[in-house]
């Protein structure tokens, strides 16, 4: 069962060490702002993310995003879900950072077990720094209204992430993202929470070619959709 599974950032640090090329000391050019780490280890890892000038973009769309675009207030939760679903399938902003600012409240906040930050633009920029823009994928399995003012997105993540000067291969995994809308702010998205269980050992094995066959990556998105309960955005046995 792959529901509520994601990748622990602690495991990324361990994987980089296993690769044998992790720098001994943080480099100033990899400093990162805005995100608040929830542990000293994550704070250390953040210092190794590349700055924006070092991120290789898939295209120039990111710099053309209108962060101050007029908000799309007044959408029902169902219509907001459709907008999120369409946007994610087109832009994959959970890994590319190419978000749709008009769907998000100015009070938007993000949190997972390792980091938190405020603002849709800072969130998108940090995502863009973390994920390798040439390989990272966000494949939507399910995007549904699962409770009042609540949108759940189940998605498959794969590709690589940036850790200092190296790129770490992700063992493909499934993420459950919960978006909350605020009826007092035109039903815009006000929060995002990513819940996960880390698979540090699987990630480490995935970096070693002869051990990779012993890992269990998430199935293809086509298989995941066959296993999905679309009313709850959860996977069945």
């Amino acid at each position: 069962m792959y529901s509520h599974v994601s990748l622990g950032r602690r495991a990324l640090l361990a994987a980089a060490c296993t690769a044998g090329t992790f720098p001994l000391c943080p480099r100033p050019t990899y400093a990162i702002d805005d995100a608040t780490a929830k542990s000293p280890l994550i704070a250390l890892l953040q210092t190794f993310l590349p700055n924006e000038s070092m991120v290789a973009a898939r295209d120039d769309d990111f710099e053309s995003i209108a962060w101050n675009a007029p908000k799309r207030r007044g959408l029902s939760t169902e219509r907001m879900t459709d907008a999120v679903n369409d946007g994610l399938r087109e832009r994959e902003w959970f890994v590319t950072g190419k978000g749709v600012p008009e769907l998000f409240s100015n009070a938007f906040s993000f949190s997972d077990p390792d980091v938190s930050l405020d603002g849709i633009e800072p969130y998108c920029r940090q995502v863009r720094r973390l994920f390798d823009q040439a390989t990272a994928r966000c494949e939507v399995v399910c995007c549904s209204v699962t409770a009042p003012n609540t949108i759940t997105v189940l998605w498959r993540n794969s590709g690589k992430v940036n850790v200092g000067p190296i790129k770490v291969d992700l063992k493909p995994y499934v993420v459950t993202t919960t978006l909350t809308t605020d009826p007092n702010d035109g039903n815009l998205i006000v929060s995002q929470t990513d819940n996960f269980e880390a698979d540090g050992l699987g990630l480490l094995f995935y970096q070693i070619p002869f051990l990779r066959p012993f890992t269990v990556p998430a199935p293809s998105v086509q298989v995941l959709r066959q296993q999905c309960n679309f009313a709850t955005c959860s996977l069945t046995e």
Side-chain angles (χ1 to χ4, degrees):
M1 179 125 175
Y2 289 91
S3 183
H4 301 288
V5 175
S6 180
L7 182 68
R9 288 171 175 81
R10 298 175 183 86
L12 292 177
L13 183 59
C17 292
T18 299
T21 56
F22 198 84
L24 295 178
C25 299
R27 300 179 182 178
T29 54
Y30 291 95
I32 191 167
D33 301 320
D34 301 314
T36 300
K38 296 182 180 180
S39 75
L41 183 59
I42 300 307
L44 173 63
L45 177 57
Q46 286 178 333
T47 65
F48 290 93
L49 295 181
N51 59 35
E52 290 188 58
S53 65
M54 302 174 68
V55 175
R58 286 175 173 166
D59 50 48
D60 296 326
D61 289 352
F62 186 83
E63 295 306 326
S64 66
I65 294 174
W67 299 107
N68 295 317
K71 301 298 184 181
R72 293 183 60 185
R73 291 183 169 87
L75 297 179
S76 66
T77 307
E78 289 74 16
R79 290 181 62 198
M80 177 62 78
T81 301
D82 289 340
V84 169
N85 181 63
D86 293 345
L88 279 173
R89 290 177 186 273
E90 177 185 354
R91 301 190 183 193
E92 303 186 24
W93 75 71
F94 287 164
V95 296
T96 67
K98 295 190 288 189
V100 185
E102 53 266 37
L103 302 180
F104 292 83
S105 169
N106 290 330
F108 172 77
S109 63
F110 168 83
S111 180
D112 72 10
D114 291 330
V115 299
S116 62
L117 56 80
D118 296 326
I120 185 59
E121 182 178 359
Y123 164 76
C124 288
R125 291 188 181 278
Q126 307 299 25
V127 162
R128 189 172 175 81
R129 294 179 187 183
L130 175 62
F131 290 97
D132 171 43
Q133 294 303 296
T135 61
R137 292 296 315 277
C138 159
E139 296 177 281
V140 176
V141 177
C142 173
C143 183
S144 298
V145 179
T146 53
N149 306 113
T150 303
I151 300 167
T152 300
V153 183
L154 191 72
W155 54 287
R156 184 183 190 271
N157 191 193
S158 61
K160 298 180 181 181
V161 291
N162 299 307
V163 182
I166 68 171
K167 298 183 187 298
V168 175
D169 282 297
L170 297 175
K171 180 173 72 71
Y173 64 99
V174 177
V175 185
T176 298
T177 294
T178 302
L179 304 172
T180 303
T181 62
D182 183 0
N184 296 317
D185 191 12
N187 216 35
L188 296 172
I189 298 168
V190 71
S191 70
Q192 174 177 332
T193 304
D194 288 355
N195 295 305
F196 56 77
E197 298 172 1
D199 181 16
L201 187 61
L203 174 64
L204 289 173
F205 283 2
Y206 203 73
Q207 308 311 305
I208 305 171
F210 72 88
L211 292 178
R212 186 171 290 190
F214 297 98
T215 66
V216 184
S220 69
V221 70
Q222 291 79 12
V223 171
L224 290 170
R225 287 170 184 159
Q226 294 174 357
Q227 299 172 347
C228 185
N229 179 333
F230 290 94
T232 61
C233 268
S234 60
L235 298 178
T236 59
E237 294 288 349

